[in-house]
Amino acid sequence: MDPPPSLLASTSLLRRGGGEEQTSTVGTLRYTPPETVTRAVFERRSDVYSFSLVFWEMLHREVVFSNLTSIQAAMATANGDRPVVKLPTKLSAAEKIMVLCWHPDAQSRPDMSWVVQQLEEVLRQSSHAPEASDMTSTHATNLVMTMPRSYTR
């Protein structure tokens, strides 16, 4: 059985590493980025990939790759598979952010401070829309509000 989705790759390695890549395997296989699966490398933007899968789960309200075991999910990711996105049009901005975050090349992913800024902007824009009070908007608001402030510095 998989651990709860909240157990993700450790960001403490990134802080100690000073932006250099790490080579120890960290985190839960289901959320492991492709570079860690294929090369046992944990880079600064590896957490951005893991975040994108948790974000997908929040928006879809299901476990990512739920039809696969954790090791199968990790191997699927390494082979380029990504979860199918089935979101309403009103969440297209959030979808674009999510897709950028799971880019196969870690260096092509945005950094987490950019992701936070973009999500805050999506929330600002959606707060003026009548459907902003739905559960998905509430989940996204809670996500942004609970992110460590170090991501926005």
Side-chain angles (χ1 to χ4, degrees), residues 93-110:
E95 179 180 339
K96 288 176 186 175
I97 296 166
M98 181 174 50
V99 170
L100 286 172
C101 291
W102 69 36
H103 195 283
D105 175 24
Q107 297 306 311
S108 297
R109 293 179 203 135

Side-chain angles (χ1 to χ4, degrees), residues 12-144:
S12 63
L13 288 177
L14 296 178
R15 288 189 201 103
R16 284 197 308 264
E20 298 176 19
E21 62 185 35
Q22 302 292 315
T23 56
S24 60
T25 304
V26 184
T28 305
L29 281 174
R30 183 172 303 280
Y31 306 93
T32 302
E35 64 274 7
T36 305
V37 175
T38 59
R39 299 179 287 130
V41 171
F42 191 80
E43 302 178 24
R44 177 170 170 75
R45 296 181 184 195
S46 295
D47 272 341
V48 174
Y49 176 86
S50 299
F51 165 80
S52 71
L53 296 184
V54 173
F55 191 45
W56 183 94
E57 289 182 339
M58 291 176 61
L59 295 174
H60 289 83
R61 299 184 187 146
E62 62 183 85
V63 174
V64 69
F65 297 121
S66 61
N67 60 324
L68 304 175
T69 66
S70 287
I71 189 70
Q72 289 171 332
M75 295 310 295
T77 293
N79 290 326
D81 293 349
R82 298 297 181 269
V84 176
V85 179
K86 303 171 281 190
L87 296 173
T89 305
K90 68 181 180 179
L91 295 175
S92 63
E95 179 180 339
K96 288 176 186 175
I97 296 166
M98 181 174 50
V99 170
L100 286 172
C101 291
W102 69 36
H103 195 283
D105 175 24
Q107 297 306 311
S108 297
R109 293 179 203 135
D111 63 26
M112 202 62 207
S113 61
W114 181 88
V115 173
V116 171
Q117 290 171 353
Q118 295 303 305
L119 289 175
E120 287 174 338
E121 182 59 30
V122 167
L123 290 172
R124 270 193 292 281
Q125 291 176 4
S126 70
S127 66
H128 302 293
E131 65 275 356
S133 62
D134 73 7
M135 189 59 119
T136 302
S137 295
T138 302
H139 285 324
T141 301
N142 290 339
L143 174 70
V144 171

